[in-house]
């Protein structure tokens, strides 16, 4: 079936609506605030060849790496109706708290595609509550590693025996299974309506269409000037030195090549990231260059090629720790790719906050009968662009989550939110001003452990076209500055204050 423009649009929305419905089933069924309220989860559909045919508008750092997870499962000779679980960053995962459930869709007794849900669980074991320890030197310190494995009751029992909050994990996994099944049901319903052969042809047409549109957009970029840039991570929780990430962009035959040669070698701490996460960040940047009506599927990926020296910071090798690589290094990769595009003359925004401001809490229940864990990321300022101020207090770049409502946080955990407000005057000045960061202040109501994985605490987000930099962030415990990456013991009454960065300004306005 060859579709015209209207047919392509209709089929694109039909497939995307299945992925969106998968996401709704997940968030309405999950137990943890991180999935239920913050929506730290993603859903997508893949064809039988392992190419993404539709995704929900969820988390960029999840979605760009899902193809690697499906490829890993396909290597196990999957059969229709089988279910797989994985979190291994070196086999298609991102970091260990992101558990991925992959269902093999049965179409008339054969593999018709894959229904995939990735969700961030607030604990998967490891050396600290929340499984995102600052200063971890090996992957094994971050939690239980699950290679692509058939998801059986035995595997679930093994997983639940190695986490601090088994009841919540059990509920969230059940929600993921329900979402995966909803995706399979949706694809089968679409096949009944249009016929399987016609549906496969339509999905293939959508992949080709997205590839054509992406290559057309890339061909129009002003790529004559060198597109080279370097940016830095602020240490890794073990060493405090700046760690360089360097990229060179070229466009050849309408394909964007991102080469990270010159990037710092493997870090001793956990800011390393697998190549799948690096590719996700580059794909995110490319997506921002495309018209809104281009479907985001595997066709876009065909126009992007990413290389990096094996074992370097952005192409990690096992057993390097990667918890912060997924959430913080991915942000910096997106920043440096935008900076390289700007060096080549492309019209791109100023840098946003460039961090997810990861905060994890955990401790024992009052009765001592169990444990609790809590995780969230905090918004900040987006960079301004030519023609518009940057939004304030938003999740920027590779994160696309919501905040946790204060009422939910305080009702379910021994924490009190003392302040939650915009951080005034933190946005960069310029013709158009950067968005403002956020102040979020937590008071511990019991003895607990807290972990911070944050960035942009000494280098504020850069402005664009001569605009001013956004204010760097700050972390404070009882009024005293603390490192950007740290694990802390909090006593009842201690106050942890997070001040997130503002976005960069754009243009040489009279206030810069």
């Amino acid at each position: 079936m060859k579709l015209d423009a209207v047919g392509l649009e209709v089929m694109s929305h039909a497939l995307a609506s299945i992925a969106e419905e998968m996401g709704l089933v997940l968030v309405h069924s999950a137990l943890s605030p991180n999935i239920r309220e913050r929506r730290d989860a993603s859903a997508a559909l893949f064809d039988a060849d392992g190419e993404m045919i539709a995704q929900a508008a969820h988390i960029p750092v999840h979605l760009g790496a899902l193809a690697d997870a499906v490829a890993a499962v396909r290597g196990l000779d999957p059969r229709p109706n089988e279910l797989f679980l994985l979190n291994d960053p070196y086999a298609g995962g991102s970091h260990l708290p992101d558990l991925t459930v992959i269902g093999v869709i049965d179409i008339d007794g054969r593999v018709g595609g894959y229904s995939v849900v990735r969700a961030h669980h607030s604990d998967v074991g490891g050396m600290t509550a929340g499984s995102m320890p600052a200063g971890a030197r090996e992957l094994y310190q971050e939690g239980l590693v699950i290679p692509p494995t058939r998801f059986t009751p035995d595997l679930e029992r093994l997983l639940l025996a190695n986490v601090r909050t088994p009841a919540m994990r059990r509920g969230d996994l059940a929600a993921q299974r329900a979402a995966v099944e909803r995706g399979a049901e949706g694809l089968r319903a679409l096949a009944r309506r249009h016929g399987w052969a016609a549906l496969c042809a339509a999905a293939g047409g959508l992949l080709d269409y997205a590839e054509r549109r992406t290559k057309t957009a890339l061909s129009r970029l002003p790529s004559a000037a060198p597109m080279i840039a370097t940016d830095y991570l602020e240490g890794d929780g073990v060493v405090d030195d700046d760690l360089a990430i360097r990229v060179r962009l070229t466009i050849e035959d309408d394909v964007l090549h991102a080469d990270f040669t010159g990037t710092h070698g493997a870090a001793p701490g956990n800011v390393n990231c697998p190549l799948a996460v690096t590719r996700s960040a580059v794909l995110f940047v490319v997506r921002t260059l495309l018209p809104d009506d281009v479907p985001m599927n595997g066709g876009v990926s065909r126009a992007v090629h990413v290389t990096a020296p094996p074992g370097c910071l952005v192409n990690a090798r096992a057993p390097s720790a990667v918890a912060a690589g997924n959430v913080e290094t991915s942000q910096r990769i997106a920043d440096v790719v935008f900076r390289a595009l700007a060096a080549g003359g492309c019209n791109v925004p100023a840098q946003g906050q460039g961090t997810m401001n990861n905060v994890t809490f955990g401790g024992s229940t009052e009765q001592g009968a169990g444990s609790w864990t809590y995780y969230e990321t905090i918004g900040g300022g987006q960079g301004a662009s030519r023609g518009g101020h940057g939004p304030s207090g938003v999740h920027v770049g590779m994160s696309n989550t919501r905040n946790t409502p204060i009422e939910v946080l305080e009702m379910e955990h021994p924490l009190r939110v003392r302040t939650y407000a915009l951080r005034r005057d933190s946005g960069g000045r310029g013709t158009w001003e950067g968005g403002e960061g956020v102040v979020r202040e937590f008071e511990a109501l019991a003895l607990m452990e807290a972990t911070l994985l944050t960035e942009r605490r000494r280098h504020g987000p850069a402005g664009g076209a001569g605009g001013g930099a956004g204010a760097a962030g700050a972390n404070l415990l009882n009024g005293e500055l603390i490192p950007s990456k740290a694990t802390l013991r909090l006593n009842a009454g201690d106050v942890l204050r997070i001040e997130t960065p503002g976005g960069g300004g754009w243009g040489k306005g009279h206030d810069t």
Side-chain angles (χ1 to χ4, degrees):
M1 178 173 65
K2 185 173 178 60
L3 298 177
D4 59 13
V6 173
L8 282 169
E9 186 75 5
V10 170
M11 192 57 69
S12 176
H13 283 284
L15 290 168
S17 69
I18 297 173
E20 292 287 354
E21 189 173 0
M22 292 166 62
L24 288 174
V25 168
L26 175 63
V27 300
H28 290 312
S29 306
L31 295 185
S32 67
N34 190 51
I35 301 173
R36 187 186 74 233
E37 304 290 345
R38 292 187 59 249
R39 305 197 172 192
D40 193 350
S42 300
L45 286 174
F46 288 76
D47 65 16
D49 294 324
E51 283 201 278
M52 182 189 288
I53 55 176
Q55 67 176 46
H58 290 158
I59 314 299
V61 76
H62 288 172
L63 293 164
L66 288 182
D68 294 71
V70 173
V73 165
R74 292 183 70 230
L76 298 177
D77 191 25
R79 296 183 293 275
N81 289 321
E82 285 191 316
L83 205 61
F84 291 79
L85 179 69
L86 67 91
N87 72 349
D88 186 350
Y90 299 105
S94 43
H95 63 174
L96 297 183
D98 286 339
L99 295 182
T100 304
V101 178
I102 300 178
V104 187
I105 301 174
D106 180 1
I107 301 291
D108 298 328
R110 61 183 185 274
V111 176
Y114 301 88
S115 178
V116 185
V117 172
R118 176 166 289 175
H120 185 118
H121 289 245
S122 56
D123 190 85
V124 289
M127 61 191 287
T128 62
S131 311
M132 297 192 56
R137 291 174 176 266
E138 289 185 305
L139 185 67
Y140 317 114
Q141 296 174 306
E142 297 180 322
L144 183 67
V145 182
I146 306 170
T149 307
R150 285 175 170 84
F151 195 178
T152 65
D154 286 342
L155 177 60
E156 182 166 333
R157 281 195 294 272
L158 175 65
L159 170 61
L160 297 180
N162 284 276
V163 302
R164 295 170 176 84
T165 51
M168 189 169 288
R169 303 285 68 76
R170 183 185 293 111
D172 286 349
L173 285 168
Q176 284 185 262
R177 289 195 296 269
V180 163
E181 180 55 32
R182 182 58 60 89
E185 292 172 354
L187 193 66
R188 285 193 288 264
L190 208 57
R192 288 193 296 270
R193 186 176 309 131
H194 298 284
W196 180 241
L199 181 58
C200 288
L206 280 169
L207 290 167
D208 294 340
Y209 173 69
E211 180 183 4
R212 288 195 305 272
R213 292 289 305 275
T214 303
K215 288 183 174 179
T216 297
L218 292 173
S219 71
R220 293 172 177 166
L221 295 179
S223 57
M227 293 193 286
I228 302 172
T230 303
D231 211 329
Y232 300 89
L233 288 173
E234 300 168 346
D236 66 351
V238 176
V239 299
D240 199 39
D241 301 337
D242 284 350
L243 307 174
I245 299 177
R246 184 181 187 274
V247 70
R248 180 185 182 93
L249 304 180
T250 56
I251 299 174
E252 300 172 5
D253 298 326
D254 302 334
V255 173
L256 179 74
H257 296 261
D259 179 12
F260 287 88
T261 298
T263 293
H264 196 282
N270 62 4
V271 297
N272 306 287
C273 68
L275 193 62
V277 171
T278 301
R279 192 180 302 113
S280 292
V282 178
L283 277 171
F284 162 74
V285 174
V286 169
R287 182 65 185 94
T288 68
L289 303 174
L290 303 180
D292 289 344
D293 64 334
V294 177
M296 190 61 191
N297 58 36
V300 177
S301 305
R302 296 173 183 173
V304 178
H305 184 237
V306 178
T307 56
C312 78
L313 186 66
V314 300
N315 187 6
R317 288 187 295 208
S320 289
V322 300
N326 182 65
V327 291
E328 294 300 294
T329 307
S330 65
Q331 295 278 69
R332 195 64 65 255
I333 294 167
D335 282 350
V336 75
V337 174
F338 274 125
R339 178 172 279 187
L341 289 169
C346 299
N347 176 28
V348 296
Q351 289 184 342
Q353 69 162 342
T355 175
M356 296 191 196
N357 303 296
N358 304 268
V359 185
T360 308
F361 298 98
S364 299
T365 59
E366 287 186 7
Q367 295 78 20
S371 300
W372 64 272
T373 59
Y374 174 75
Y375 168 76
E376 73 172 17
T377 60
I378 306 174
Q382 176 62 284
S385 58
R386 186 174 67 185
H389 303 299
S392 299
V394 294
H395 285 81
V396 173
M398 300 304 290
S399 172
N400 188 32
T401 61
R402 301 183 178 188
N403 66 182
T404 303
I406 293 172
E407 296 83 357
V408 172
L409 173 58
E410 294 185 342
M411 181 172 62
E412 298 195 12
H413 302 295
L415 290 161
R416 178 179 294 124
V417 178
R418 293 181 20 145
T419 303
Y420 189 30
L422 292 179
R423 186 184 175 202
R424 297 300 180 187
D425 300 319
S426 58
R429 310 304 289 272
T431 307
W432 291 280
E433 297 187 353
E436 295 185 316
V438 163
V439 176
R440 193 152 163 101
E441 214 171 42
F442 306 90
E443 180 182 357
L445 303 181
L447 178 68
M448 65 184 66
E449 187 175 58
T451 297
L452 301 177
L453 295 174
T454 63
E455 273 285 324
R456 294 290 190 209
R457 267 38 185 183
R458 57 177 179 248
H459 305 301
N475 305 330
L476 302 97
L477 178 61
N478 298 326
E480 299 291 329
L481 283 172
I482 57 176
S484 62
K485 300 171 183 67
T487 295
L488 315 164
R489 297 287 289 178
L490 303 184
N491 296 308
D494 284 345
V495 176
L496 179 64
R497 179 182 175 92
I498 310 297
E499 299 180 358
T500 72
W506 202 98
K508 295 181 179 179
H510 64 275
D511 290 328
T512 56

